[in-house]
């Protein structure tokens, strides 16, 4: 067997408050549809927070729905929105 070819990771930055949209049910939500990240139904997701001029890896709850969309939710009160980056790769 040989190694398969993997397409480049999907990488995007997001900004507080613009990217998070309006609150609903006590949470702000940021969604990256499968049609945007293009990494299928079982992607590997890494979320980073902008701290000063550096991005730091954080542990934050996120969901991948049956369609492959990635959903990140944070509390509205206290307001936990942040500036960050998401990296999505294929799960081979």
């Amino acid at each position: 067997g040989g190694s398969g070819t993997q397409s480049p990771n999907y990488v995007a930055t997001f900004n507080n408050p613009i990217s998070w949209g309006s609150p609903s049910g006590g949470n702000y939500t940021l969604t990256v549809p499968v049609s945007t990240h293009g990494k299928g139904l079982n992607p590997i997701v890494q979320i980073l927070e902008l701290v000063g001029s550096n991005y730091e890896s954080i542990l934050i709850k996120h969901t991948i729905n049956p369609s492959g969309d990635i959903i990140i939710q944070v509390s509205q009160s206290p307001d936990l929105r942040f500036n960050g980056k998401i990296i999505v790769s294929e799960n081979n």
Side-chain angles (χ1 to χ4, degrees):
S3 61
T5 302
Q6 186 173 357
S7 60
N9 291 340
Y10 170 82
V11 179
T13 57
F14 52 90
N15 300 308
N16 173 24
I18 299 165
S19 302
W20 291 94
S22 300
S24 177
N27 293 307
Y28 287 101
T29 302
L30 187 138
T31 302
V32 182
V34 68
S35 59
T36 300
H37 67 69
K39 300 302 177 186
L41 302 180
N42 298 301
I44 298 170
V45 179
Q46 183 178 14
I47 301 167
L48 303 116
E49 182 176 8
L50 182 62
V51 179
S53 59
N54 298 316
Y55 285 97
E56 296 182 2
S57 181
I58 61 170
L59 295 176
I60 184 170
K61 181 180 175 186
H62 62 277
T63 303
I64 302 168
N65 70 16
S67 300
D69 302 333
I70 300 164
I71 302 145
I72 306 166
Q73 287 190 322
V74 296
S75 173
Q76 175 186 359
S77 181
D79 186 344
L80 296 180
R81 293 176 292 176
F82 60 96
N83 295 324
K85 180 185 291 190
I86 185 168
I87 301 170
V88 185
S89 56
E90 294 178 45
N91 188 0
N92 293 357

